[in-house]
Amino acid sequence: MLKRSCLAAGLFLAVLTQPVSAQVAGYHFTYADLQKIFVQNNQYFVLDDEGFIDPTLNHLHFTSIDTTTGAFTGSLWAPTLLPPIPQQTVPVSGTITIYSDISDLGLSAGFGNSYAISFSWTLNGICQGQQAFYDGAIVFRGYQGAKMRGNLAGTITSYYSACGIGILPYSPQPVSGILTK
């Protein structure tokens, strides 16, 4: 019994004295990498607020990404903002901005780049309209087979106008989602 206790204590101390890696594996994607993930591989964001809203709505698809500036075009399927609009595909345009974790000295912080995203859309109907602006960030979580996993989170500032009402702000509204294919 004493022998087993000493063995267990030795194993416990060995585990405690092992160095723990604080390094977080980050990604250093370029705009060309993002173009491959979002456009060529047809991955898109389902903006379902972590499952709190209908996942068949609010799909952000990318049509093109400029590999030098990060400017993109795409579409949003059935945006669900207040007040509700008919389900339709809405063209969006925006920018993904890459913030490098490489310092002026050429050193990496080890966390990978940061990816900000902003986009907007405008709907003009008969006697009503909607204009919305999204600002947020993307976090990449790693590949699962050929599919990149990731999340998007931010806020939407939106405005609704209708005949006889004028412009009403409905904002800010938090919106988040999951990268899928």
Side-chain angles (χ1 to χ4, degrees):
M1 178 74 173
L2 182 58
K3 188 175 182 181
R4 274 192 251 164
S5 295
C6 288
L7 183 59
L11 185 58
F12 179 71
L13 287 174
V15 169
L16 284 179
T17 59
Q18 291 298 314
V20 176
S21 173
Q23 179 96 3
V24 175
Y27 293 95
H28 293 90
F29 290 134
T30 64
Y31 291 122
D33 296 326
L34 298 178
Q35 195 267 350
K36 183 177 180 184
I37 291 168
F38 295 128
V39 178
Q40 292 176 5
N41 292 345
N42 295 315
Q43 287 200 246
Y44 61 92
F45 285 100
V46 174
L47 305 176
D48 67 352
D49 289 344
E50 281 80 47
F52 284 99
I53 61 175
D54 186 350
T56 64
L57 306 174
N58 292 334
H59 293 187
L60 175 62
H61 294 265
F62 297 84
T63 306
S64 68
I65 297 178
D66 185 307
T67 57
T68 57
T69 65
F72 70 88
T73 60
S75 62
L76 188 62
W77 163 244
T80 54
L81 293 177
L82 292 173
I85 60 171
Q87 292 184 6
Q88 59 188 295
T89 300
V90 178
V92 300
S93 61
T95 305
I96 298 174
T97 305
I98 298 174
Y99 295 100
S100 176
D101 82 336
I102 307 296
S103 73
D104 293 339
L105 300 174
L107 302 173
S108 171
F111 296 110
N113 293 341
S114 299
Y115 306 90
I117 184 171
S118 61
F119 61 90
S120 62
W121 70 85
T122 301
L123 286 172
N124 291 314
I126 298 172
C127 202
Q128 66 180 4
Q130 182 183 77
Q131 188 173 24
F133 304 92
Y134 181 91
D135 285 305
I138 300 170
V139 174
F140 295 101
R141 304 224 179 264
Y143 281 98
Q144 186 174 21
K147 178 179 142 183
M148 172 54 75
R149 296 177 302 132
N151 296 83
L152 178 136
T155 58
I156 289 180
T157 304
S158 65
Y159 302 92
Y160 175 76
S161 61
C163 295
I165 296 177
I167 297 175
L168 300 173
Y170 285 92
S171 54
Q173 296 176 31
V175 174
S176 60
I178 298 171
L179 187 61
T180 190
K181 185 169 181 169

